[in-house]
Amino acid sequence: MSVSLEVSKRSTRPRATRNKLRHEGKIPGIINGYKIESTPISVDGHDFKRLLRTEGLNSVVKLTIDGENYNTLIHQFTTDTFTREINHVEFLSVDMSEVTEVEAELVLVGTAPGVRIGGALTQNLYNVIVSATPDKLPERIEVDISKLDIGQSITIADLPVSSDYEIITDPIEQIVAISEPRAKEEEVTEEEAPAAE
């Protein structure tokens, strides 16, 4: 699924222009890639943040510039160190028929039986690299842990195969495991404590 976002061309100089845009609630950015030269743009900050919340990073974003439409992915964005506000965004124009690679989040779903009886759950991997055409890229991949018992784990190889995308990350990478509950430390009794001289 693709979503549309309005953008405008912008000047790259002077620097005060970028500061003015940010003051107006706009985010300076750039688009490059398939069938377009590197082009400076600006996008409404509220619209972009809403898009991130509702669609995520891997959705196809349709940008219109001078009457031309471009299917893009959000390649990256940067935030201010202190305010955490987004201060720049880069869009990558893509060919919808070509396979591309992005990161997708791993999300644990279900309740593991091993946890119910006191096992310790550890998630070791939070993101994987996936390969697909832009319209099939997943934002997240669910990992079902509802059958995971103490001493068991789930690796990339254990995930169901999807017809929409391929996981590129090494199949032997461990996603999650449940270990034995930690033994409680024995309390030192008064009799066992060394006597003071």
Side-chain angles (χ1 to χ4, degrees), residues 40-169:
I41 58 171
S42 66
V43 58
D44 182 86
H46 293 296
D47 291 345
F48 182 73
K49 284 182 276 191
R50 183 170 62 246
L51 182 148
L52 283 180
R53 285 195 307 271
T54 59
E55 306 297 333
L57 279 172
N58 293 345
S59 293
V60 176
V61 183
K62 184 178 289 185
L63 301 184
T64 302
I65 305 172
D66 291 342
E68 294 289 332
N69 293 324
Y70 299 92
N71 292 308
T72 72
L73 295 173
I74 301 169
H75 183 58
Q76 63 181 6
F77 62 87
T78 58
T79 57
D80 185 274
T81 306
F82 301 103
T83 66
R84 308 309 299 166
E85 286 293 317
I86 299 170
N87 56 27
H88 192 270
V89 58
E90 182 178 343
F91 293 92
L92 178 66
S93 177
V94 292
D95 180 348
M96 295 298 287
S97 64
E98 277 194 10
V99 168
T100 187
E101 294 182 5
V102 298
E103 272 196 349
E105 182 185 8
L106 292 172
V107 179
L108 306 185
V109 295
T111 302
V115 172
R116 287 199 192 100
I117 58 175
L121 183 146
T122 304
Q123 185 172 353
N124 302 301
L125 196 63
Y126 292 86
N127 296 282
V128 290
I129 303 297
V130 296
S131 172
T133 52
D135 59 320
K136 298 290 180 66
L137 292 171
E139 181 67 24
R140 52 167 53 190
I141 297 173
E142 293 188 346
V143 182
D144 184 5
I145 62 170
S146 60
K147 295 181 181 178
L148 203 59
D149 216 331
I150 290 176
Q152 296 181 329
S153 63
I154 296 175
T155 66
I156 295 295
D158 297 321
L159 296 179
V161 175
S162 171
S163 59
D164 289 338
Y165 58 83
E166 178 185 359
I167 298 178
I168 304 300
T169 304

